[in-house]
Amino acid sequence: MAKTNLLIGNGTVLTGLLPRPDMVVVDKTVLPYTLDEARSHLSPALRDIAEQIDKLPTTAKPAGKATAVFTIHPAFLSKWKMPHKAFEKAGLRVLGSKSAWVKPKKDARKKPPDGDQFTADLYVCGDRRAFDNLLGLLWAAKITKEQDKDLRKIEGIRFLSPQERLLKMDGQEELVPIEILVHAEETADEALLDALEKHANACGTKLARDKLLAAPGLIFMPGIAQRSKLEEFAAFTALRAIRRLPALRMHRPPLKQHLTTEQPTLPTEGAQNPDLKVAVFDGGLGVSDFSKWTNEVIPEALHETDAGFLAHGTTVTSALLFGALNHETTQLPRPFFNVTHYRVLGSADNGDFDLYDCMRRIDDALASNDIDCANLSLGPEFPMDDDHPHAWTVMLEKHLASGKTLMAVATGNNGHQKGEMGRLQPPGDAVNALTVGAANSQDFFIARAPFSGYGPGRSPGVVKPDGLAFGGTVGTPLVLFSPMAGGLTSLYGTSYASPLALRTAAAAMALSKTPLSATAMRALMVHNADHAQKDLRSEVGWGQFPENHENLLTYGDNQVSVLYQGFIPAGETMRMQLPIPPVAMGTKITITATFCFACPVEAANPVNYTQHGLSVTFKPKSEGSSMQFFGKSSDYEQNLRKHGSKWETMMHATETVDASLLLDSCFDVKHGAREDGLPVKNDEAPSLPYVLIVTVASEMGQPIYQSIMNKYKMLIPIELRGQVRIRS
């Protein structure tokens, strides 16, 4: 029997910063348009914008400013090529971006892609004088080289019309519940909010200003609008978007099949690691059965509730404490950790048509408590939007960007719907969350359960869900313990897949004496997910997550897994040596690697959503060699976005290489930072905390663990808590 070996926990001993090379920047930019051509196709648009600004009522243009949309030529999406000098000179400000597809009128690249190409629409704000200044700059006899280039990178310009701000406002009712997104230079711009409220009242729209959620560059706010005056309200120039408010999603109704005549026996011991702080945000418990391992936090306003909220909250918490069971279960397993259950829904929320009260409670709990792991199995009944992030997503990103909390989020149960309506629901599109969909089976040959929301996610963040856990189906339901149901009950939904996945990760954290960060656990879950080559990422993410925490921490003699955790300064390159075993000629080595990091995002700028990125070069024989490892090689920024790029917070790949081609193998990893899609000074950007998991395995099962440990004597396995015993 092969012995079981623990994860190596100190991979950072194999890393080191490389000296910075002498940088000589050679600008080889070939511009698609001459200045005369730019004048020809941009001047009419700028004159039209000036006329549109003049036509607007004063109440609709705060501080006299309006917003236009500048479409960038697809060749200039990288942070080094984005236009900005001409905007600064004219007195215009870029507020944010959204994705666009365009077929350029001209393309100076040698082999441009065919058809429509991915690019960015920039929201650009200014008063009449600023837009006139840009027109004057366009026709000036003398401008700087940078300004000239900027003007020739613009594919088109248009005024942001009221109709373009109205999103999915179908329906017939006169009073429409809405959510607005407002571009704001400051998160507490009281003058702007006063002007917005005045304009809204004049248009028969009532805004809940006391519920607003502010993020850098954006303000989210619920309200109720008169349908007949929606377009009039949408003329307010600081508005980015207006969309219908979604309903709450929790789960599909349980099958209500009572599987036992009496309740299984609860364990008598406390949690194996009571120090790990695990939270559930849901509808409450309402039972005392779990009191040995749970604490329920109930806001004053939510003491009154209903059975549906409590049934959902109790079952989600049960899944996290005891896991999936079977029909014959008579004794529940001892929990790995305790759970604090935050009741965030109750009878008071019957009037919370906008879900902002519920979201606020989660926001407050995450802000005021040091939480290691958390589960969220509720949210808006609304598919994700690539171009306009939802308030729930933005709220979560704010807390998860530090990498201190592992948050599992259910995708939603809308996967049976067609097209965009079946995509995963907010906040499952948060790039810093572990998004969990439901698998239709516990076997290796898995598929997405038909009800489970599917991907892709946003870009970056393309691979969503991150993975699947068994969530039951109508034909093969999940079995969980529910005191409210009187014992074992069968049900299905992503609401239960999410806590089951989190249980695996949190159990590994609880049982490891060596500290494992939230980011490390997110990486380990993806790294050890099972998938078939034919699986679509949009369907299964990175694969089916392990059900057993031991699969995250232990490996066989034919492989070694190393955890690297550290920091990379902005602009620096770190070399990460791989543990390659001494093996016989002809042996093939399989290398699986997963990079993961958490970072701040820009809600107003989804085209450049993440502020940090890693450029990874695989060098099989150290210096003088390189080969593609992550993603698909491409010369074009839009293809990198389509296939995964350095701005993705999760990169995962496997390559099998002949051992003779591996010598001093390493990853060279460069940290790049940006803000508003533009470069930032490296000495002003914070270092990026990263995690890398590398598994080196012999393809035919030859034992290599001990030979690697003999070769790299500085490597040390993680330590487990004293009472834990790993099965052989």
Side-chain angles (χ1 to χ4, degrees):
M1 180 181 296
K3 69 176 182 179
T4 302
N5 303 300
L6 290 170
L7 171 72
I8 304 300
N10 66 329
T12 48
V13 299
L14 301 178
T15 68
L17 289 176
L18 297 180
R20 281 194 181 187
D22 295 329
M23 295 293 290
V24 179
V25 179
V26 179
D27 188 354
K28 298 181 179 180
T29 302
V30 180
L31 296 163
Y33 303 114
T34 65
L35 187 57
D36 283 340
E37 288 171 330
R39 287 167 174 165
S40 175
H41 72 257
L42 298 182
S43 295
L46 287 170
R47 294 190 183 101
D48 177 67
I49 289 169
E51 292 176 6
Q52 295 290 345
I53 294 174
D54 288 342
K55 291 178 183 178
L56 286 171
T58 303
T59 58
K61 47 184 178 184
K65 295 180 179 180
T67 304
V69 179
F70 284 60
T71 302
I72 304 305
H73 191 285
F76 304 102
L77 280 180
S78 77
K79 67 178 182 178
W80 299 106
K81 297 178 181 179
M82 274 282 193
H84 61 285
K85 293 293 185 183
F87 297 153
E88 292 174 4
K89 179 66 175 177
L92 294 167
R93 178 179 173 84
V94 178
L95 300 175
S97 68
K98 69 180 184 68
S99 61
W101 290 85
V102 65
K103 183 174 177 58
K105 292 179 281 292
K106 288 180 64 178
D107 203 320
R109 293 170 290 179
K110 291 182 179 180
K111 294 182 179 180
D114 295 327
D116 289 347
Q117 301 172 40
F118 182 89
T119 189
D121 276 347
L122 302 184
Y123 293 99
V124 180
C125 173
D127 56 17
R128 164 70 189 264
R129 177 179 295 182
F131 285 102
D132 284 344
N133 288 344
L134 189 64
L135 180 61
L137 194 65
L138 189 62
W139 287 93
K142 187 176 182 180
I143 59 175
T144 68
K145 185 177 181 180
E146 290 79 8
Q147 293 163 1
D148 175 271
K149 287 181 179 179
D150 280 358
L151 294 169
R152 294 161 62 188
K153 295 174 182 178
I154 300 170
E155 183 64 28
I157 308 174
R158 68 180 184 276
F159 185 70
L160 182 60
S161 68
Q163 297 85 353
E164 192 171 347
R165 293 186 176 99
L166 295 171
L167 308 177
K168 300 177 181 178
M169 299 303 296
D170 53 311
Q172 301 297 323
E173 76 277 40
E174 176 55 22
L175 292 179
V176 187
I178 61 169
E179 178 181 54
I180 64 171
L181 284 69
V182 186
H183 280 128
E185 297 180 17
E186 299 177 9
T187 55
D189 192 333
E190 296 299 327
L192 174 64
L193 293 174
D194 288 343
L196 173 62
E197 198 165 28
K198 182 178 179 181
H199 177 77
N201 290 337
C203 299
T205 297
K206 301 299 180 185
L207 299 176
R209 185 170 171 177
D210 60 322
K211 293 187 176 185
L212 69 80
L213 176 79
L218 273 186
I219 291 175
F220 298 83
M221 198 185 310
I224 297 180
Q226 289 186 26
R227 180 176 293 278
S228 58
K229 293 187 176 182
L230 264 174
E231 195 167 308
E232 181 183 348
F233 172 57
F236 191 80
T237 57
L239 285 169
R240 177 188 177 110
I242 304 171
R243 58 191 174 201
R244 175 185 288 276
L245 270 171
L248 174 73
R249 66 173 165 90
M250 291 184 74
H251 63 110
R252 285 183 174 274
L255 301 183
K256 299 185 183 300
Q257 182 181 2
H258 187 195
L259 301 178
T260 52
T261 56
E262 61 183 67
Q263 292 195 19
T265 304
L266 290 162
T268 58
E269 309 99 326
Q272 296 189 47
N273 182 355
D275 296 327
L276 192 71
K277 296 178 180 178
V278 181
V280 166
F281 300 106
D282 217 285
L285 293 174
V287 294
S288 60
D289 303 61
F290 301 159
S291 59
K292 185 185 292 290
W293 314 279
T294 62
N295 172 48
E296 185 175 5
V297 178
I298 307 174
E300 184 64 33
L302 299 186
H303 281 284
E304 292 187 10
T305 187
D306 62 55
F309 290 161
L310 294 176
H312 187 264
T314 302
T315 314
V316 166
T317 304
S318 174
L320 192 52
L321 288 173
F322 308 113
L325 308 172
N326 58 57
H327 297 72
E328 291 76 36
T329 299
T330 58
Q331 174 70 51
L332 296 178
R334 179 187 180 187
F336 295 104
F337 41 76
N338 293 328
V339 172
T340 300
H341 187 115
Y342 292 89
R343 185 183 295 189
V344 294
L345 285 169
S347 295
D349 294 309
N350 291 331
D352 181 23
F353 65 92
D354 49 51
L355 303 181
Y356 270 61
D357 289 341
C358 175
M359 181 181 66
R360 277 288 186 199
R361 294 180 192 119
I362 299 170
D363 188 19
D364 291 344
L366 287 171
S368 60
N369 294 280
D370 186 14
I371 296 172
D372 297 313
C373 303
N375 184 79
L376 185 61
S377 291
L378 50 82
E381 186 74 40
F382 187 83
M384 64 160 287
D385 185 339
D386 291 288
D387 296 328
H388 310 286
H390 197 277
W392 280 66
T393 301
V394 173
M395 178 273 292
L396 271 197
E397 299 278 33
K398 173 181 65 176
H399 295 291
L400 303 183
S402 66
K404 294 179 180 178
T405 302
L406 175 64
M407 173 74 83
V409 180
T411 59
N413 298 318
N414 58 319
H416 60 285
Q417 300 187 49
K418 301 295 183 182
E420 291 292 306
M421 295 305 294
R423 286 180 74 184
L424 57 98
Q425 299 175 329
D429 56 334
V431 298
N432 290 308
L434 183 75
T435 305
V436 183
N440 66 350
S441 169
Q442 292 175 292
D443 299 328
F444 178 74
F445 297 103
I446 61 159
R448 174 183 63 87
F451 57 81
S452 183
Y454 47 78
R458 62 183 61 261
S459 177
V462 172
V463 180
K464 288 286 180 178
D466 291 278
L468 308 180
F470 180 57
T473 64
V474 175
T476 310
L478 181 67
V479 178
L480 296 174
F481 171 63
S482 172
M484 297 190 71
L488 299 180
T489 186
S490 57
L491 28 67
Y492 65 98
T494 57
S495 281
Y496 313 114
S498 180
L500 290 176
L502 182 65
R503 183 175 186 266
T504 300
M509 290 180 75
L511 301 184
S512 175
K513 188 175 180 180
T514 302
L516 297 174
S517 68
T519 305
M521 295 316 307
R522 191 155 61 102
L524 280 166
M525 289 290 282
V526 166
H527 189 77
N528 293 284
D530 284 331
H531 71 277
Q533 195 67 36
K534 62 180 178 58
D535 289 338
L536 295 175
R537 291 281 183 241
S538 60
E539 289 282 312
V540 305
W542 298 110
Q544 185 149 352
F545 293 132
E547 292 184 18
N548 191 329
H549 65 277
E550 293 181 8
N551 292 337
L552 303 180
L553 304 178
T554 61
Y555 301 88
D557 278 344
N558 69 316
Q559 59 187 169
V560 64
S561 288
V562 181
L563 166 65
Y564 304 68
Q565 297 185 96
F567 295 83
I568 307 179
E572 299 284 359
T573 300
M574 179 172 284
R575 175 158 293 175
M576 303 178 182
Q577 185 181 3
L578 305 187
I580 302 301
V583 293
M585 295 292 290
T587 303
K588 289 189 178 295
I589 299 296
T590 298
I591 301 172
T592 301
T594 305
F595 275 97
C596 184
F597 60 89
C599 75
V601 303
E602 295 180 5
N605 204 10
V607 172
N608 300 290
Y609 191 61
T610 51
Q611 290 189 348
H612 298 266
L614 297 177
S615 299
V616 181
T617 303
F618 176 51
K619 297 192 170 184
K621 291 190 175 182
S622 189
E623 296 295 348
S625 68
S626 66
M627 64 176 284
Q628 187 71 24
F629 197 94
F630 295 101
K632 181 178 179 180
S633 180
S634 171
D635 295 329
Y636 300 117
E637 181 77 6
Q638 67 267 23
N639 285 345
L640 288 174
R641 291 171 186 276
K642 184 176 179 181
H643 297 292
S645 74
K646 63 184 178 183
W647 301 106
E648 295 283 340
T649 61
M650 182 77 72
M651 292 179 280
H652 174 74
T654 297
E655 291 287 345
T656 298
V657 185
D658 193 291
S660 62
L661 301 177
L662 300 174
L663 178 66
D664 296 329
S665 303
C666 62
F667 288 120
D668 281 357
V669 186
K670 184 174 182 179
H671 169 203
R674 61 184 177 182
E675 187 172 352
D676 295 327
L678 301 175
V680 298
K681 293 181 179 179
N682 289 327
D683 56 357
E684 296 177 1
S687 294
L688 180 67
Y690 76 91
V691 167
L692 167 64
I693 314 289
V694 172
T695 296
V696 177
S698 56
E699 187 185 40
M700 301 305 292
Q702 300 96 326
I704 60 173
Y705 178 87
Q706 196 56 54
S707 63
I708 286 179
M709 297 304 288
N710 291 338
K711 180 179 178 181
Y712 303 92
K713 296 185 183 299
M714 70 289 285
L715 295 179
I716 301 173
I718 62 170
E719 291 185 72
L720 300 182
R721 294 183 178 274
Q723 72 272 29
V724 178
R725 299 182 67 181
I726 295 295
R727 295 189 298 269
S728 295

